[in-house]
Structure formats: structure tokens, C-alpha cells
């Protein structure tokens, strides 16, 4: 899980590293077309710059008002070559900062590659001339009969093959035409457009010096716009900015290192889930609304039948919890919260802020909710109409007895609302069989989607009757329910389109894995390896095993230092989570997301190495 870094920089030749302004080919093209009776401007000659020269001739021919035969093209090409070979060696001046920059790149162990639009015969002259002046890339290749030129990526891939680079994202393409940028994008490497002395700018040094400042900056802005439109990752004035670009790319590569998040969410997600976000979608489009509807139906059917509806809501899980409490209870209805952790407490704040009539029972954080106490409370207080609790308290990892709590509350005829945020799609929740009225969960927990979407699964009858309950317009579940169901998959306000597409894919992945049985099995296995492995090192869960969920576990930190442990594990690609208990030092490990028993075994090994080191020190 080493962070990636740039291993090769692949430069274009004329206009990028040699031949300021890329003038060598221009006269050749003009002469070539003159030989078949056409006067073309320098601008026309320059327009297709970067692609292979024969394709370049064809591209110019396509700009003419008359059709040109293939025979004429070949004749023009011969004339072009004659002119070019006569002058090419006079156009091999090394551009500014090229020698210093390539030397500095090599000093960092970065290979210098190259691609070009010239033919191999032309390159022979250019390479020799550049070498005389001290510039020699480690690899050069030119388009020929076997290897298509730009915008095809093959020349770059030949560089990568030569250097033994597996991931194109560890290479950068630098060029002075939009064809260079397209070649780089097609090869999947990073791309840099260079402005000064480029073919795109098309000016000699003297012309640049003679231009009024405003005029020059206008021309440069046009070059920038062309590179930007082509999709360049970076645009620089000159070669002396390249080292800074490499630093920035390396920083981004290290941020993107394939880390395993052992946290309660957001989680490590699959490539396909993130990739699904690459489509930009309009919200009122029928195709998009159909995706929304399919997500709503699939989530409902994970645990319920058609008497229930799923109401998606923008925002993290707390938004759904707050909407559930505020919309599915009427104003003077007395709510009883059962609290044994931070997420339970958060619900009290929500109810307090909306001036609900509520009370709560508070329990030890490392113990499950006590059925006996709940029974006594419900027996004594008939004014209570609704019971609300968290299924798996992510604060500690305690699993509350969902069935027993629900059955008891139901036996008193109470409404039951559940925060099933961290357990949904990991535990079997028989919402219908238990007659649960509503539960809240989110996209970025065990469904292994991305943050930004939450949802409430509720009885349709309850939703239908919730019309004017909400004190908040944005969190009005009823209104959102109308849009999603009566409106055929319509969000009321801007929908997090990319996150929704990712959730669609995450549900596909869930099904592909084998649904709940397979996912649960993987999580249980992950959890077992963690607890057993760390147990051997004397690091133990603080919750008794019979109350411990297989999603997230709080461990006793003992004499270990959290920050040192955190950094040691991070350097090996694992991100852990601090504990939330005030009574003792702890840390938490989630074992959900795109993580596997082999990852858990690696983590245990990494902790062991840290423990050994810190004991030795
Ligand atoms: C994650 C989670 C939430 C939602 O928290 P957000 O910070 O809004 O994502 C609520 N309840 C539980 C039990 C959770 O695990």
C-alpha cells in the first residue's frame, strides 16, 4: 500500500523542449501545399500541430475548399519533407530551463521520456542535435507504420513499457499542443500544457519581445483556454514550473493512496462505486428519476415489503434521524428515548431543539439497553406513545436487543422508531415482522456507498398521515415522500446526483456479493480476526462479547499512545478511529466497507509491530 509517485516525465520535442515556437515544420507545410498549387497561411499550417506529419498534411487538406487526392497528399508530403530536412537542424535550439529541469528530475530518480509528431528519420537528426547541446532523454519514439501517432496513446505506452511502469498515473506528459494533451489523456497519465515558446502560441522570441504586454497576455490566455478545454491537468508558463507540478501531483497521489479506513464511516469504498460518480446528471431527467426510484425500491426491499416506503434525504445520517423524529411524531406526542451512547444523546438534542415532549432512560455506555428498566417505565407511564433507540451504538459498538425492545414496546402498543444507521445492511432487521414503524440509515455505512445521502424506511400509512408534522421545511419527510413516490423519483431540492449514482452502484455491489448473508459473513470474519489477533497482544474490547456488534469495536488502549499508534498505522495504510469514552483511554476499529479478512490480518500485524517497537523503545 505504498503511496504512488511520479516515475517518468514524457516530453514532446519541437515547441516543448527544442525549437522555440515550433517553427521547423511550418515552412515545410507551406512549401508542400505550394507544390500542389495551394497557398496556405502559417496559421493553417500550424493548426493540427502535434499529430504525425502525414496526418497533419491530411488535416490541412481537409481545410481547403477543394477536395485533394491521396496522390496530391503524397506529393505535398514529399515537398514538405524536402524543406524540413533542409532546415530541421537549424531548429533544434534547446528551450529555456529544459536542461536544469531534466537534470533535477533525474536527480529525483525520475526518467525522462519523449514522444513526437516527427518521423523516425527526422528524429534521428533532432536527437543528435539536441544531444550536442546536452539534452538526451532516456527514451525516444516516433510514430511509424506500426505505432500510430497522437492522439493515440501508444507512444506514451511504449515509454512506460521501456521504463517498466505499471500505472500510467505515475507518469506525466508535457507538451505544447492540444494533440499532446489528448495523447496524455488517452494514455491516462497526468498532462501539462506549456505556454511560452509553444506551437499553440506560435511566436518567435523576437515576436514575443515586440508584442505589447496586453496583446501578449491576450494570446497567452487563448493558449491557456485551448489547453484547458482539451482537459490539461496543469498549465504552466515555462519549464521552470515543472518541479512544482511534480510535487503537487505526488501530494495528490499520496492523498489517494489506497488506504483502508477502519472507521464507522465514511468507509473504504469499491472502485466501481466511486467510478459511478463520473457521470453528471440532470435531476429532472426521466432516466435519472428512474435510477432514484430503483434505489428507493431496492432499499425498501432489503428489509421490508410494499407497505413500507423509503424516503431519501440529502445529508448525512443525522438528517434522516432528525427528519424521522420530527415528521413521524405529532406535536404533543410523548417520546421516550433509550440512550446508551452519543448517537442516543444526539437524538435528545434534536428533540429538544424542536420542543418535543420527550423523556429518556439513560444506560451504561458499555451495556445494552436494559429491558427490565424499559418494562418498568412503560408500565408506569402510559402517556408515552413512541419509543426511539439506536440499534448498534457506534459510540462503543454495543448492539442493543432490537427484537426484545421492539416486542416489548409493541406489547404496550407504542410506536417504534429505530436509528439503524450502522446496522442496516449488516444485520437482519425484520422491520415488517417486528412491526417497526420507521428506521433511519444512510448511504455511507454498511451499504458501502458514499456520504451525502440518508434515508428513512417507514410504514406508508405513517408517512401518509404525517402531512403537517414537520417544523422544518428542508427536513420535511412527507414532502420529500410525495416527490419520490407521487412525483416518480423526484427530489424536492437539488439531488446529490453523483452520490445517488454511487449508491445505485453500491446496491448493485451488495447484491453481487451475495446480499446480507455474504456481507454479514465477511464482517463477522473481519471482526473475529481483529478481536482474536489483538487479544493475543493483550488489546481487548471493552464490551462483553455477547453484547458486542460485528461492525465496530472499542478497544482498551492501555498504556499505548493513540496518536503514535494512529501515525504508525497510517504509514502502513490503515486509518483508525479515536475512542469516545471519557472514563478510559480507548480506540475504535470498524471492520466494514471494502475490507477483507486479509486486511484485518495485515492490520493485526501492523499493530503487533508497533507494540513491539514501542516496548523496545
Ligand atoms: C453514523 C451514525 C449516525 C449518523 O451520523 P452522521 O454523523 O450524521 O453521519 C447516526 N447514528 C448512528 C448509530 C451512526 O452510526
Amino acid at each position: 500500500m505504498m503511496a504512488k509517485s511520479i516515475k517518468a516525465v514524457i516530453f514532446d520535442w519541437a515547441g516543448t523542449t527544442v525549437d522555440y515556437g515550433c517553427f521547423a515544420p511550418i515552412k515545410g507545410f507551406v512549401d508542400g501545399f505550394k507544390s500542389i498549387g495551394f497557398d496556405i497561411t502559417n496559421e493553417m499550417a500550424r493548426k493540427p500541430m502535434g499529430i504525425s506529419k502525414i496526418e497533419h498534411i491530411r488535416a490541412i487538406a481537409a481545410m481547403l475548399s477543394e477536395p485533394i487526392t491521396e496522390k496530391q497528399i503524397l506529393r505535398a508530403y514529399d515537398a514538405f519533407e524536402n524543406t524540413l530536412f533542409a532546415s530541421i537542424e537549424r531548429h533544434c535550439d534547446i528551450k529555456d530551463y529544459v536542461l536544469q529541469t531534466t537534470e533535477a528530475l533525474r536527480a529525483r530518480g525520475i526518467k525522462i521520456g519523449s514522444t513526437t509528431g516527427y518521423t523516425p528519420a527526422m528524429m534521428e537528426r533532432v536527437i543528435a542535435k539536441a544531444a550536442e547541446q546536452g539534452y538526451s532523454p532516456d527514451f525516444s519514439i516516433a510514430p511509424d507504420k506500426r505505432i500510430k501517432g497522437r492522439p493515440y496513446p501508444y507512444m506514451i505506452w511504449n515509454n512506460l513499457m521501456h521504463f517498466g511502469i505499471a500505472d500510467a498515473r505515475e507518469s506525466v506528459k508535457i507538451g505544447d499542443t492540444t494533440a499532446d494533451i489528448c495523447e496524455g489523456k488517452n494514455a491516462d497519465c497526468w498532462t501539462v500544457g506549456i505556454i511560452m515558446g509553444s506551437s499553440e502560441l506560435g511566436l518567435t522570441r523576437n515576436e514575443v519581445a515586440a508584442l505589447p504586454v496586453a496583446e501578449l497576455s491576450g494570446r497567452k490566455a487563448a493558449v491557456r483556454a485551448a489547453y484547458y478545454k482539451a482537459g490539461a491537468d496543469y498549465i504552466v508558463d515555462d519549464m521552470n514550473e515543472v518541479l512544482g507540478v511534480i510535487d503537487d501531483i505526488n501530494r495528490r497521489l499520496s492523498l489517494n493512496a489506497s488506504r483502508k479506513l477502519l472507521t464507522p464511516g465514511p468507509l473504504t469504498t469499491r472502485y466501481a462505486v466511486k467510478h459511478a460518480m463520473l457521470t453528471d446528471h440532470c435531476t429532472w431527467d426521466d432516466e435519472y428519476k428512474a435510477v432514484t426510484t430503483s434505489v428507493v425500491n431496492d432499499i425498501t426491499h432489503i428489509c421490508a415489503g410494499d407497505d413500507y416506503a423509503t424516503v431519501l434525504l440529502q445529508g448525512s445520517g443525522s438528517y434522516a434521524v432528525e427528519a424521522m423524529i420530527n415528521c413521524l411524531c405529532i406535536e404533543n406526542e410523548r417520546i421516550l428515548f433509550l440512550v446508551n451512547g452519543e448517537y442516543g444523546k444526539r437524538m435528545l438534542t434534536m428533540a429538544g431543539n424542536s420542543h418535543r415532549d420527550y423523556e429518556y432512560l439513560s444506560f451504561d455506555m458499555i451495556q445494552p439497553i436494559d429491558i427490565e428498566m424499559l418494562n418498568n417505565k412503560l408500565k408506569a407511564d402510559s402517556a408515552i406513545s413512541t419509543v426511539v433507540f439506536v440499534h448498534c451504538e457506534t459510540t462503543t459498538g454495543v448492539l442493543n436487543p432490537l427484537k426484545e425492545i421492539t416486542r416489548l414496546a409493541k406489547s404496550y402498543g407504542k410506536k417504534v422508531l429505530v436509528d439503524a444507521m450502522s446496522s442496516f445492511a449488516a444485520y437482519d432487521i425484520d422491520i415488517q415482522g417486528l412491526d417497526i414503524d420507521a428506521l433511519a440509515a444512510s448511504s455511507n455505512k454498511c451499504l458501502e456507498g458514499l456520504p451525502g445521502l440518508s434515508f428513512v424506511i417507514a410504514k406508508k400509512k405513517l408517512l401518509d398521515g404525517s402531512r403537517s408534522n414537520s417544523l422544518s421545511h428542508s427536513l420535511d419527510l412527507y414532502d420529500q415522500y410525495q416527490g419520490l413516490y407521487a412525483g416518480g423519483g423526484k427530489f424536492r431540492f437539488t439531488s446529490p446526483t453523483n452520490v445517488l449514482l454511487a449508491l445505485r452502484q453500491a446496491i448493485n455491489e451488495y447484491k453481487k456479493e451475495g446480499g446480507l448473508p455474504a456481507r454479514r459473513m465477511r464482517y463477522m470474519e473481519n471482526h473475529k480476526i481483529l478481536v482474536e489477533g489483538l487479544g493475543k497482544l493483550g488489546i481487548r474490547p471493552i464490551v462483553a462479547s455477547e453484547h458486542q456488534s460485528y461492525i465496530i469495536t472499542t478497544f482498551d488502549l492501555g498504556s499505548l499512545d493513540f496518536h503514535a499508534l494512529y501515525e504508525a498505522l497510517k504509514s502502513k495504510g490503515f486509518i483508525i478511529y479515536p475512542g469516545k469514552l471519557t472514563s478510559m483511554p480507548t480506540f475504535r476499529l470498524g471492520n466494514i466497507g471494502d475490507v477483507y479478512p486479509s486486511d484485518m490480518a495485515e492490520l493485526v500485524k501492523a499493530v503487533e509491530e508497533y507494540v513491539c517497537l514501542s516496548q523496545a523503545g
Side-chain angles (χ1 to χ4, degrees):
M1 262 179 271
M2 282 279 290
K4 306 214 171 210
S5 64
I6 292 301
K7 298 199 162 67
V9 176
I10 297 158
F11 293 96
D12 168 59
W13 283 89
T16 301
T17 49
V18 300
D19 188 12
Y20 191 100
C22 190
F23 279 93
I26 299 301
K27 189 163 185 311
F29 290 124
V30 172
D31 287 355
F33 278 88
K34 198 172 278 165
S35 78
I36 55 169
F38 291 95
D39 281 327
I40 63 163
T41 62
N42 280 4
E43 249 177 357
M44 285 168 76
R46 195 179 277 288
K47 197 129 202 272
M49 194 67 80
I51 62 178
S52 77
K53 297 308 171 206
I54 183 73
E55 291 303 328
H56 191 138
I57 301 255
R58 291 199 175 99
I60 295 172
M63 295 178 211
L64 300 175
S65 48
E66 292 172 42
I68 307 290
T69 66
E70 184 63 15
K71 216 165 163 188
Q72 286 175 298
I73 292 212
L74 295 179
R75 199 134 47 84
Y77 182 80
D78 283 342
F80 157 78
E81 257 197 7
N82 282 340
T83 300
L84 187 78
F85 276 117
S87 66
I88 195 166
E89 287 173 338
R90 275 180 276 124
H91 288 286
C92 289
D93 50 297
I94 307 288
K95 284 186 67 192
D96 302 338
Y97 312 110
V98 168
L99 295 179
Q100 299 92 314
T101 302
T102 50
E103 192 180 333
L105 289 171
R106 280 199 176 111
R108 295 187 187 186
I110 295 172
K111 298 291 184 190
I112 308 300
S114 70
T115 67
T116 182
Y118 282 147
T119 63
M122 296 167 192
M123 279 316 295
E124 227 172 88
R125 313 254 187 117
V126 176
I127 288 171
K129 212 66 196 165
E132 279 173 24
Q133 302 165 81
Y135 175 59
S136 290
D138 303 310
F139 184 74
S140 298
I141 188 165
D144 63 12
K145 287 206 172 56
R146 291 171 310 121
I147 299 160
K148 282 191 180 198
R150 297 168 190 150
Y152 293 91
Y154 312 132
M155 290 189 292
I156 290 179
W157 286 345
N158 271 268
N159 276 265
L160 301 186
M161 222 165 102
H162 177 80
F163 295 135
I165 294 172
D167 184 351
R169 299 303 285 168
E170 294 188 310
S171 68
V172 184
K173 171 67 206 291
I174 303 184
D176 68 305
T177 62
T178 54
D180 284 285
I181 304 300
C182 293
E183 176 196 25
K185 299 254 63 105
N186 286 337
D188 198 30
C189 50
W190 301 86
T191 55
V192 182
I194 185 160
I195 297 176
M196 296 310 292
S198 66
S199 177
E200 213 42 60
L201 190 64
L203 301 170
T204 64
R205 283 181 197 280
N206 288 340
E207 284 166 341
V208 166
L211 270 189
V213 174
E215 168 90 30
L216 180 62
S217 81
R219 300 261 194 119
K220 285 172 64 181
V223 175
R224 183 175 288 277
Y227 290 153
Y228 185 81
K229 179 164 178 257
D233 295 304
Y234 294 85
I235 300 168
V236 299
D237 257 18
D238 239 323
M239 204 60 89
N240 57 348
E241 293 169 55
V242 165
L243 291 177
V245 166
I246 304 296
D247 286 340
D248 196 56
I249 294 173
N250 282 340
R251 180 188 58 78
R252 289 165 71 178
L253 285 172
S254 88
L255 272 180
N256 287 339
S258 55
R259 294 215 178 91
K260 300 290 174 191
L261 300 182
L262 301 179
T263 64
L267 311 170
T268 309
T269 53
R270 287 168 78 79
Y271 179 80
V273 170
K274 290 180 276 256
H275 192 268
M277 290 207 302
L278 295 183
T279 308
D280 296 314
H281 235 302
C282 162
T283 51
W284 52 259
D285 179 70
D286 283 342
E287 206 180 314
Y288 180 72
K289 288 199 311 197
V291 174
T292 306
T293 297
S294 77
V295 165
V296 158
N297 289 337
D298 278 5
I299 291 176
T300 308
H301 293 140
I302 283 178
C303 70
D306 289 327
D307 297 343
Y308 285 78
T310 295
V311 185
L312 291 167
L313 211 55
Q314 300 93 329
S316 77
S318 301
Y319 290 68
V321 174
E322 185 154 2
M324 173 173 76
I325 294 168
N326 283 340
C327 300
L328 302 184
C329 299
I330 48 174
E331 205 178 339
N332 294 314
E333 193 172 320
R334 182 169 297 172
I335 310 169
L336 175 67
F337 290 98
L338 311 176
V339 178
N340 62 337
E342 293 300 327
Y343 292 98
K345 284 186 196 161
R346 190 180 291 180
M347 297 198 290
L348 300 183
T349 309
M350 291 167 179
N353 285 356
S354 54
H355 308 289
R356 293 291 170 171
D357 178 13
Y358 76 94
E359 53 187 307
Y360 63 95
L361 289 177
S362 188
F363 305 89
D364 189 326
M365 294 249 271
I366 63 168
Q367 294 293 336
I369 291 165
D370 188 284
I371 295 290
E372 199 53 43
M373 271 175 76
L374 175 59
N375 192 22
N376 293 339
K377 178 70 187 169
L378 292 177
K379 207 187 295 176
D381 193 346
S382 61
I384 290 165
S385 66
T386 301
V387 174
V388 188
F389 65 98
V390 175
H391 183 199
C392 170
E393 241 307 348
T394 318
T395 314
T396 53
V398 165
L399 189 71
N400 285 316
L402 177 88
K403 273 187 202 151
E404 289 78 356
I405 297 171
T406 306
R407 284 194 184 126
L408 181 63
K410 284 287 162 184
S411 74
Y412 284 93
K414 310 302 179 197
K415 184 155 72 191
V416 172
L417 309 181
V418 183
D419 169 352
M421 204 66 56
S422 57
S423 56
F424 187 80
Y427 278 85
D428 192 5
I429 301 174
D430 183 8
I431 184 169
Q432 201 140 9
L434 290 169
D435 197 30
I436 292 171
D437 295 273
L439 68 75
S442 84
S443 149
N444 68 301
K445 303 267 166 114
C446 298
L447 278 176
E448 301 188 3
L450 295 160
L453 264 174
S454 53
F455 52 88
V456 175
I457 306 175
K459 286 180 178 168
K460 280 184 177 163
K461 239 162 69 191
L462 188 58
L463 284 166
D464 288 333
S466 69
R467 181 175 202 128
S468 45
N469 289 357
S470 184
L471 298 171
S472 153
H473 183 43
S474 306
L475 293 182
D476 189 343
L477 270 191
Y478 178 84
D479 228 21
Q480 180 77 349
Y481 168 58
Q482 292 307 309
L484 288 172
Y485 281 77
K490 199 173 170 315
F491 271 71
R492 288 175 305 160
F493 312 137
T494 301
S495 154
T497 46
N498 307 66
V499 178
L500 185 110
L501 294 174
L503 178 56
R504 173 63 272 166
Q505 188 58 38
I507 296 168
N508 296 349
E509 299 292 320
Y510 175 78
K511 291 180 181 175
K512 192 204 296 178
E513 186 177 12
L516 181 69
R519 187 151 292 183
R520 175 175 51 195
M521 190 83 92
R522 174 161 61 89
Y523 289 169
M524 288 172 88
E525 180 83 14
N526 283 350
H527 176 253
K528 185 162 172 262
I529 292 171
L530 280 184
V531 172
E532 286 181 2
L534 296 184
K536 284 189 189 134
L537 306 173
I539 301 171
R540 301 212 160 77
I542 58 155
V543 171
S545 62
E546 64 270 30
H547 305 311
Q548 169 67 55
S549 71
Y550 49 75
I551 294 168
I552 182 151
T553 314
T554 302
F555 290 92
D556 186 349
L557 200 51
S559 59
L560 297 175
D561 175 61
F562 178 78
H563 288 284
L565 178 65
Y566 179 88
E567 289 302 332
L569 295 177
K570 185 176 172 185
S571 73
K572 297 194 173 153
F574 295 106
I575 304 296
I576 64 169
Y577 221 60
K580 248 186 177 176
L581 285 184
T582 45
S583 53
M584 64 195 293
T586 57
F587 69 102
R588 286 183 288 172
L589 293 177
N591 50 261
I592 53 182
D594 192 35
V595 291
Y596 299 85
S598 55
D599 299 312
M600 299 302 114
E602 254 185 67
L603 173 85
V604 169
K605 211 172 94 203
V607 175
E608 184 174 6
E609 279 164 17
Y610 171 76
V611 169
C612 289
L613 261 178
S614 63
Q615 278 167 355

